[in-house]
Amino acid sequence: MSKKELRQAWRWFGPNDPVSLQDVKQAGAVGIVTALHHVPHGEVWTYEEIMERKNLIEASGLTWDVVESVTIHEEIKTRTGDCEAWIEKYKTSLRNLAQAGLKIITYNFMPVNDWTRTSLDYEMPDGSKALYFNWVDLAVFDIHILQRNNAAAAYPSDVVAQAKERFASYTQEQCDQLAGTVMFGIPGEKKITVESMREKLKRYDHINADVLRSNLVHFLQRITPLCDELGLQLAIHPDDPPYDILGLPRIVKNMDDVRFILQSVPNKSNGVCFCTGSFGAHPGNDLPAMAREIGTRIHFAHLRNTKRDAEGNFFEDDHLAGDTDMYAVMKELLILQQTLPESIPFRPDHGHQMIDDLKKVTNPGYSCIGRLRGLAELRGLQLGILRNT
Ligand code: DNO
């Protein structure tokens, strides 16, 4: 094997991120993954604002490698209201990004909420803190706090019973905290309240997985010809966690879903953000096999590990620990990389809050030291594999 490496990148939330660009350089990353988080979802990213961000990144000796995310407006996902006008705005943003020299565009098609966890400070045996997803806590939120119609029917009866007991034991403060965590979303973006969540969920009353899938295909058919022409590479982020939650359909959970998306819209710009943390939270997903099959349609990678228990709850483990065989995934990605002219960017996705970061206010999952550890381990793994093949 020749020695083409993946490109080490780092998610940065912009000028308000407590992790500075200089910190990123010290952590050993070379590329930045970011977005204009202050632009309301769906509105156009202007060329001027994109360039301003790009210049800021380049002034510190880094490059803006990946856009994550250009968020899709809910009316596109539900194909209602001003859907077509939102798609036109999306295309304008894509044109502006291409004009500024950006190439890889991450997005997701998760209804209402982005990633979902039930705890952002789950204590690990070594004292560091991890992100955690627990079904009983989700049911506490869903059945008792959100009070979604018929929510209990979505959970096994023992989970419903435990949720009832747990809810009775929670103080108001604990309930507020749980609700805030479930609806946490992306740092620097507008927060949603329980009330607005109810409103947003209502819009999906008549949208099942098939409808959502056809809305995604419609969106992709509208934008991929432009992306092909501009040389852009789209990267759809899987659903996190890869399960239907809060009565919402999820359509990027496994290899069947990915196959459907790639086959329905075969344009070369249509690709995937291979997030090992999201896909890896489902025991049915064979990550190395998925990497092999998706192949050149992997336009970007998030490397992270989760550890499940028997009930399907999971915490985010160290990058090289957990249920996903990171060695096997890295090996697949490196085999793929050798066939490509450009490096696939990867970022150490999330990391534990640890060491001095425990005393700081950090973006959950995105503190510096935990990701620095993850990046160091992943780079070492990469080097070891490349030297031995
Ligand atoms: C969570 C992230 C996701 C991701 C978006 C991409 O940490 O991986 O929020 O950025 O889903 O659209």
Side-chain angles (χ1 to χ4, degrees):
M1 197 191 281
S2 58
K3 305 276 162 70
K4 282 189 210 154
E5 293 185 4
L6 308 171
R7 186 167 168 84
Q8 59 263 16
W10 186 277
R11 189 176 203 178
W12 181 63
F13 289 102
N16 295 328
D17 193 324
V19 180
S20 70
L21 289 171
Q22 193 176 22
D23 296 340
V24 176
K25 282 172 75 175
Q26 291 182 14
V30 290
I32 288 291
V33 177
T34 195
L36 302 182
H37 293 285
H38 58 279
V39 179
H41 291 178
E43 293 301 341
V44 168
W45 293 20
T46 65
Y47 175 73
E48 290 67 32
E49 279 207 273
I50 297 166
M51 283 309 293
E52 195 186 314
R53 179 62 58 88
K54 188 173 185 236
N55 290 335
L56 187 66
I57 292 168
E58 287 178 357
S60 68
L62 294 157
T63 55
W64 187 359
D65 284 3
V66 179
V67 183
E68 179 175 351
S69 295
V70 187
T71 306
I72 315 254
H73 194 276
E74 286 293 302
E75 288 187 350
I76 298 180
K77 295 184 212 161
T78 53
R79 209 168 163 189
T80 54
D82 291 329
C83 171
E84 297 306 316
W86 293 117
I87 293 182
E88 282 315 310
K89 287 193 178 186
Y90 205 91
K91 286 164 80 174
T92 306
S93 297
L94 292 175
R95 279 191 201 96
N96 293 342
L97 285 163
Q99 195 191 341
L102 286 147
K103 283 209 157 20
I104 304 173
I105 316 290
T106 315
Y107 68 100
N108 72 75
F109 220 73
M110 288 181 250
V112 182
N113 227 4
D114 198 297
W115 59 320
T116 303
R117 295 288 182 276
T118 56
S119 169
L120 303 174
D121 54 3
Y122 180 73
E123 198 157 327
M124 303 293 292
D126 64 7
S128 63
K129 292 184 175 160
L131 307 184
Y132 178 60
F133 181 89
N134 179 285
W135 284 105
V136 175
D137 272 328
L138 187 74
V140 169
F141 172 76
D142 195 5
I143 303 171
H144 300 283
I145 301 176
L146 186 65
Q147 297 175 357
R148 188 170 61 83
N149 274 346
N150 212 18
Y155 303 87
S157 54
D158 58 320
V159 171
V160 175
Q162 286 178 63
K164 189 173 174 197
E165 238 174 74
R166 202 175 284 183
F167 176 63
S169 77
Y170 275 176
T171 60
Q172 185 60 42
E173 199 187 332
Q174 282 173 307
C175 288
D176 292 346
Q177 195 180 358
L178 175 62
T181 301
V182 171
M183 299 185 300
F184 184 77
I186 303 294
E189 297 188 7
K190 201 167 167 257
K191 298 287 166 222
I192 49 180
T193 60
V194 172
E195 254 323 298
S196 68
M197 182 111 191
R198 285 196 191 107
E199 282 302 308
K200 286 175 185 234
L201 287 174
K202 249 192 231 144
R203 299 188 205 148
Y204 285 85
D205 273 355
H206 302 290
I207 299 183
N208 61 20
D210 286 339
V211 176
L212 188 63
R213 249 182 227 117
S214 84
N215 295 352
L216 171 61
V217 168
H218 169 76
F219 170 67
L220 287 173
Q221 282 170 339
R222 295 288 314 278
I223 67 162
T224 48
L226 176 71
C227 293
D228 289 351
E229 184 191 316
L230 296 173
L232 293 177
Q233 295 185 302
L234 294 166
I236 191 166
H237 188 281
D239 302 328
D240 184 2
Y243 295 96
D244 294 353
I245 53 166
L246 307 176
L248 296 165
R250 310 267 249 175
I251 56 169
V252 199
K253 299 182 292 200
N254 52 38
M255 194 59 229
D256 284 345
D257 291 341
V258 173
R259 219 175 271 135
F260 173 84
I261 294 165
L262 298 179
Q263 286 172 1
S264 305
V265 185
N267 298 56
K268 66 173 191 285
S269 55
N270 185 21
V272 173
C273 169
F274 192 69
C275 177
T276 56
S278 303
F279 286 130
H282 196 294
N285 287 334
D286 176 344
L287 278 287
M290 288 177 77
R292 209 173 312 130
E293 181 171 346
I294 304 172
T296 56
R297 293 305 176 91
I298 295 178
H299 290 163
F300 176 35
H302 287 178
L303 300 183
R304 167 164 76 78
N305 225 318
T306 54
K307 182 82 188 155
R308 294 178 303 268
D309 65 17
E311 282 77 45
N313 308 309
F314 63 86
F315 64 88
E316 300 195 0
D317 209 338
D318 291 325
H319 290 74
L320 303 189
D323 295 314
T324 294
D325 181 348
M326 199 57 83
Y327 169 82
V329 170
M330 182 62 96
K331 201 166 175 185
E332 288 300 336
L333 292 176
L334 287 170
I335 290 169
L336 169 66
Q337 182 59 71
Q338 306 317 307
T339 67
L340 300 171
E342 307 271 345
S343 286
I344 307 169
F346 80 94
R347 62 177 180 83
D349 196 16
H350 304 179
H352 292 169
Q353 191 180 358
M354 56 167 65
I355 314 178
D356 283 16
D357 280 341
L358 286 167
K359 298 177 220 132
K360 295 183 187 159
V361 176
T362 57
N363 285 321
Y366 290 96
S367 51
C368 185
I369 301 171
R371 283 188 292 163
L372 185 154
R373 172 177 169 172
L375 181 60
E377 292 182 348
L378 291 163
R379 289 177 72 191
L381 177 63
Q382 165 169 255
L383 183 75
I385 294 173
L386 287 176
R387 284 279 171 92
N388 275 291
T389 38

